[in-house]
Amino acid sequence: MKGNRLRTLGFSIVGALALFLASCGQQPPPSNGGGNGGGGSQTGTLEVTVLNDANSQPIQGAVVTVNGAQIGVTNNQGKVSASLTPGQYAVNASATGFVTPSVPLSATVAAGQTTTLTIRLQPQAPAPGPGVCRPSGDTSYRTELVAAAGSEPAGIKSIQITGQRAGTYCFAAGVLELRIYLGQGEENNLQVILVSSDNPQATQVIPHRWQGSYFVATLDTRNQQIQGVPQRLIVKYQRGGNDIRDQVWEIVPDNLPPQVPDVRPVSAIDPVEASGPQPERWIGGPASHRVTLTLENQDLVDNPANPNLLASGIKEVRFFAYRVGGYRAEPRIGEGRLIGTARARPYQVEWNTRDGNWPDGKYYVYAVAEDWMGNYHPHPGTPGAAPLAGFYVNVDNTAPSVRLTVQDRGVRDVGRAFNTNQSGLGYYLCDNPTYTWGDGRIDIFPAESGFVSGCASVTYSAGDTGVGLGNGNAELSWAAAAVFVPEGTNITYNINVNDLNGPVAFVLKAKDRLGNESQAQVQVTVDNRRPEVDLLKLYLPSQPSQTDPDVVLAGSQLGVRVAATDTLSGVRFVRFYMGSDAQARTTTVRLPFWNANLGTGGLIQLPIQGNNNTYTAEIRGGVGDVLVPVLDPTNESTVAPNSPADILVIVSDHAGNANASFRRVQVRHTDELDNGVDGSAARLRVNFPIAGEHEIQPVPISDATFSGAFRTAARSTTLPNLVKYAGFYGQDNTPLPYDDPNNLYDLPSYLAAPANATVYNLLQVVNTLPYKLVLPNPAGVFGVLFNNYGHMEAVPTQ
């Protein structure tokens, strides 16, 4: 019985092969034509042939229209004809699976003649997705063809393709399971065979096994010999006797990847020269941050090894950008960020490097083509795998780094001339020692932050870590001037701004070669004018209505009224000083250290007395009345005649520009002995109580008390000359303000020469024991002791 069953199956196999061969090689019988016959001399014949533009094969069943009216359907040769009256006609054709031309063709029909016309139709693109594969033959029992567990990609898909072998095929990939839903007892009545169209005589029996509720036959479609070749997987089920029921799965194995996409940019990418022998490509910036990517091989095909074999076709091309910098210069498939996906020719995507936070850096741009069965290019380095076909490009959307600071260069720059023998940046540099006016004695004090006089010290940094600055330069501009400056870090230029007054914005702009631009701006107030000051009056506190008393007593107080203005940067401070060129009565008198007759041509700053016996060094603001002590210009006794002294006011604006005014007074000596304070009895001692700070205090040499130590032993006990306060001063060799020859009230004549003047600026007044001052740096500080009679003496350093 088993022998008869096998013989029966064998005959059935032969029958199945005959059907297979017939389906592969035979054509349908020819039709009788689809056109209308032509007639008499009053008509002509139009013969239309419709072809597949992809392979020039005739299209059967195409509908042909003339002037929009149907004249017939093409036969198996793609032809149709019709008799028409002479004239001009618009002819078109349409067919399932093909694109109807948008513009009809023109044909002229002449009486008694045959006019031929050929219309070529473009095949429509494949269906947007795969369909469902189904078996043919006897379907009285159920089978299904599915992907085996763990195989990827795997499965079957019904896909319509175009080209020379256009049609719908069931493509298969990976390892498949054919499940046959029959009872377990049917095992000996079941056979599964595989027949290949390229060798129908060689059949392969596929083993099957029982698995729970169905039979399973496993088929590995990855055999290289059957890729792209139609296969028939035939299930033969003998139900009883000669009742053999065949069910056929027609599949085309497709496990080969598509061709490697060769990615190229469509839009231009600047080949900016960078370090190294090869030019680098760059994208980024406001105008070049987008690039259109496409394929050099626009004829990208699936299964490039043999284009004549069937393949499921290109499903999509995915474009990636892999940021270089890891341990691999080129990526594995799918590494990097997805730029975009193209699903139809010409396979183009746009890469906007400013959309999606693409970090700056070097990228390898490549593409992966995947067919409908999920096959794609193997990873680089896989045996037999072709290399990727991409390109390297640098992304730079970051603006250059810029930093800018502007401050006043220092003193004595107002009036400095420009370098007229130079151009560009050199013209503005503050290295010309020539002054156009004022001899540089306008800005004698350091400017405050945000204010500049004479010369601006401009420090900047400009650079780009990506594509680099255009021409390696940045642009520095202010007011109406603009100059190019080289890139670098912490570069300083001293810019002459003597031609400016008022708010000025310094702007540093840097643009890289891709157009990324950044800027830094610092605004300062430039002031090259000295403030206005007027010492309005001197008066005695007891007689405020009187102006400029004839005589003032040493050790007393003097009222001073001053008015100062500055329209640009504003008044910063007003300070009060005393100077004198008075001669001493005898050579035994110790003149004050600031008296001009000692050769210093000096000024001593006067403390300003406030409430509760407190003192300050200066006032803020431009108008006010102050009380200052009257010092003895010669340290003499009442026996001597009066001595002249000058009360000076020096005002500074915020830019450091200064002006001065003075009035002269006669000082009457009030002590019966010369120099009522003896500084030789004390020393200035420096202690270090706190890290970074210093204590300075006058201490007695003897063991006597402070009050006793600061007076001579010969002093009369009836006129106690105890110390009234101690002042701490710093010596300043800054020149005095410019002495305008047109203003007789700027400076006294003995102070007009700046080289001979020494200014003693007050740091602090201490009027209680132990006369101590804490300073971070005591260098150059000295103490001065004052008594009630306006006498003083400097305390030497210990």
Side-chain angles (χ1 to χ4, degrees):
M1 184 66 181
K2 181 182 290 186
N4 291 336
R5 181 178 300 126
L6 291 175
R7 282 196 297 273
T8 303
L9 289 173
F11 284 117
S12 298
I13 292 173
V14 173
L17 291 176
L19 289 174
F20 187 28
L21 291 171
S23 66
C24 293
Q26 291 185 355
Q27 296 292 333
S31 70
N32 292 324
N36 299 318
S41 60
Q42 298 305 315
T43 64
T45 300
L46 175 65
E47 184 180 87
V48 179
T49 302
V50 182
L51 301 179
N52 184 339
D53 188 58
N55 54 19
S56 299
Q57 295 297 310
I59 299 175
Q60 183 179 3
V63 176
V64 177
T65 61
V66 172
N67 289 344
Q70 180 177 331
I71 64 169
V73 178
T74 57
N75 59 18
N76 66 333
Q77 296 179 347
K79 294 180 180 296
V80 66
S81 60
S83 295
L84 302 173
T85 59
Q88 193 86 9
Y89 293 94
V91 186
N92 211 342
S94 61
T96 302
F98 293 86
V99 178
T100 301
S102 59
V103 179
L105 297 181
S106 178
T108 302
V109 177
Q113 297 183 12
T114 298
T115 301
T116 60
L117 182 68
T118 299
I119 300 177
R120 307 181 74 91
L121 299 183
Q122 292 281 348
Q124 287 182 340
V132 178
C133 295
R134 292 181 176 85
S136 61
D138 191 313
T139 57
S140 61
Y141 58 96
R142 187 165 68 94
T143 65
E144 62 179 353
L145 196 58
V146 297
S151 178
E152 187 179 345
I156 58 173
K157 298 175 183 177
S158 176
I159 300 173
Q160 180 185 3
I161 65 173
T162 60
Q164 293 183 356
R165 302 179 68 178
T168 301
Y169 298 86
C170 182
F171 288 92
V175 180
L176 304 178
E177 286 187 354
L178 176 61
R179 297 174 181 177
I180 308 165
Y181 292 88
L182 294 172
Q184 188 173 4
E186 302 288 351
E187 181 175 359
N188 294 328
N189 300 322
L190 186 64
Q191 190 176 37
V192 180
I193 62 174
L194 181 68
V195 182
S196 178
S197 64
D198 63 349
N199 189 7
Q201 305 301 327
T203 61
Q204 177 185 355
V205 177
I206 308 298
H208 60 275
R209 67 187 185 279
W210 178 254
Q211 185 170 305
S213 59
Y214 51 80
F215 292 99
V216 174
T218 302
L219 174 64
D220 191 346
T221 68
R222 296 173 295 184
N223 186 338
Q224 295 295 313
Q225 302 302 319
I226 63 174
Q227 301 303 309
V229 179
Q231 308 288 314
R232 279 196 167 191
L233 189 60
I234 305 172
V235 180
K236 306 191 74 61
Y237 169 48
Q238 185 173 9
R239 190 160 186 173
N242 292 325
D243 185 10
I244 299 175
R245 303 191 176 191
D246 292 349
Q247 195 174 120
V248 181
W249 286 89
E250 297 186 15
I251 62 172
V252 180
D254 183 4
N255 292 277
L256 300 178
Q259 186 179 4
V260 177
D262 188 358
V263 185
R264 289 293 179 266
V266 174
S267 50
I269 296 180
D270 295 334
V272 179
E273 293 290 340
S275 58
Q278 298 296 328
E280 296 277 351
R281 285 175 163 177
W282 294 85
I283 56 176
S288 304
H289 60 277
R290 288 186 176 92
V291 60
T292 300
L293 303 174
T294 189
L295 302 183
E296 185 78 11
N297 47 349
Q298 279 292 315
D299 56 347
L300 187 72
V301 296
D302 195 8
N303 194 359
N306 188 347
N308 294 322
L309 298 178
L310 291 171
S312 60
I314 305 297
K315 175 187 176 183
E316 62 186 23
V317 177
R318 298 189 298 274
F319 293 79
F320 292 89
Y322 171 73
R323 193 177 184 197
V324 179
Y327 59 91
R328 285 193 301 272
E330 292 189 3
R332 294 173 63 85
I333 297 299
E335 279 190 320
R337 288 181 58 184
L338 179 66
I339 298 173
T341 301
R343 294 183 172 87
R345 287 186 173 86
Y347 299 120
Q348 289 186 356
V349 297
E350 183 184 78
W351 184 18
N352 185 345
T353 59
R354 285 191 169 185
D355 184 13
N357 293 324
W358 289 89
D360 289 358
K362 189 172 187 176
Y363 289 85
Y364 183 74
V365 179
Y366 69 100
V368 176
E370 182 177 335
D371 65 18
W372 283 101
M373 297 310 299
N375 301 303
Y376 55 84
H377 188 272
H379 295 299
T382 304
L388 295 173
F391 64 93
Y392 289 97
V393 66
N394 296 278
V395 173
D396 182 5
N397 285 302
T398 301
S401 173
V402 293
R403 188 172 65 251
L404 179 67
T405 61
V406 180
Q407 60 186 13
D408 187 66
R409 183 176 79 156
V411 300
R412 302 197 68 180
D413 278 331
V414 171
R416 193 177 292 273
F418 289 86
N419 298 311
T420 55
N421 60 337
Q422 298 186 33
S423 61
L425 178 62
Y427 173 82
Y428 296 100
L429 295 182
C430 277
D431 55 7
N432 192 338
T434 303
Y435 291 91
T436 58
W437 60 280
D439 198 26
R441 291 191 293 123
I442 299 298
D443 57 330
I444 65 173
F445 294 106
E448 287 187 328
S449 177
F451 297 92
V452 172
S453 60
C455 293
S457 179
V458 179
T459 300
Y460 73 92
S461 297
D464 188 79
T465 58
V467 68
L469 296 184
N471 300 322
N473 291 325
E475 182 188 73
L476 178 65
S477 62
W478 66 97
V483 295
F484 288 107
V485 292
E487 63 179 309
T489 303
N490 293 330
I491 299 176
T492 298
Y493 288 112
N494 296 312
I495 304 298
N496 195 329
V497 291
N498 271 277
D499 58 336
L500 302 174
N501 279 295
V504 175
F506 285 82
V507 180
L508 177 68
K509 292 182 180 180
K511 181 185 293 187
D512 66 19
R513 299 180 185 184
L514 289 170
N516 298 303
E517 186 174 2
S518 59
Q519 73 173 39
Q521 177 173 317
V522 176
Q523 182 161 312
V524 296
T525 298
V526 176
D527 186 354
N528 294 302
R529 302 171 183 168
R530 58 181 186 171
E532 298 296 328
V533 59
D534 189 6
L535 204 166
L536 299 176
K537 64 181 291 187
L538 302 178
Y539 60 91
L540 298 176
S542 59
Q543 298 175 337
S545 61
Q546 297 183 5
T547 300
D548 297 337
D550 295 332
V551 177
V552 294
L553 299 178
S556 66
Q557 291 181 329
L558 183 63
V560 181
R561 180 171 298 171
V562 64
T565 58
D566 189 275
T567 58
L568 284 177
S569 60
V571 174
R572 178 182 177 186
F573 62 75
V574 179
R575 295 174 180 174
F576 300 88
Y577 296 83
M578 176 175 279
S580 177
D581 59 351
Q583 299 287 337
R585 178 170 52 93
T586 65
T587 57
T588 59
V589 173
R590 289 199 301 273
L591 293 174
F593 56 89
W594 48 271
N595 190 294
N597 288 296
L598 294 179
T600 60
L603 285 176
I604 184 170
Q605 186 176 353
L606 301 175
I608 301 169
Q609 185 168 341
N611 297 327
N612 302 321
N613 203 28
T614 59
Y615 296 88
T616 57
E618 61 191 25
I619 61 171
R620 298 279 175 159
V623 180
D625 285 46
V626 299
L627 295 178
V628 296
V630 179
L631 305 182
D632 193 320
T634 57
N635 273 342
E636 293 186 273
S637 68
T638 54
V639 179
N642 300 334
S643 297
D646 296 301
I647 303 297
L648 289 93
V649 57
I650 297 179
V651 60
S652 171
D653 60 24
H654 292 278
N657 303 306
N659 203 349
S661 182
F662 78 97
R663 287 180 181 252
R664 173 155 290 196
V665 296
Q666 295 292 325
V667 178
R668 178 175 297 172
H669 312 288
T670 56
D671 193 2
E672 83 272 12
L673 292 177
D674 299 334
N675 197 23
V677 177
D678 187 0
S680 63
R683 292 291 185 268
L684 200 63
R685 187 175 69 185
V686 179
N687 299 325
F688 301 91
I690 303 174
E693 294 184 340
H694 302 75
E695 282 185 351
I696 304 176
Q697 69 179 66
V699 296
I701 294 177
S702 66
D703 293 331
T705 63
F706 280 105
S707 58
F710 297 139
R711 60 181 178 177
T712 60
R715 180 69 60 212
S716 169
T717 56
T718 57
L719 292 172
N721 278 297
L722 303 182
V723 173
K724 184 176 183 181
Y725 56 81
F728 292 89
Y729 283 82
Q731 181 175 321
D732 192 349
N733 293 319
T734 300
L736 294 176
Y738 170 60
D739 189 13
D740 188 348
N742 298 320
N743 188 347
L744 302 179
Y745 301 100
D746 273 7
L747 294 173
S749 58
Y750 58 87
L751 296 176
N756 296 327
T758 300
V759 179
Y760 299 97
N761 287 313
L762 178 64
L763 300 177
Q764 186 169 328
V765 171
V766 182
N767 55 3
T768 57
L769 294 173
Y771 305 131
K772 181 171 65 174
L773 176 65
V774 177
L775 288 176
N777 183 8
V781 177
F782 63 97
V784 180
L785 301 177
F786 299 87
N787 67 9
N788 290 318
Y789 303 101
H791 293 179
M792 74 220 71
E793 186 155 341
V795 178
T797 303
Q798 187 175 11

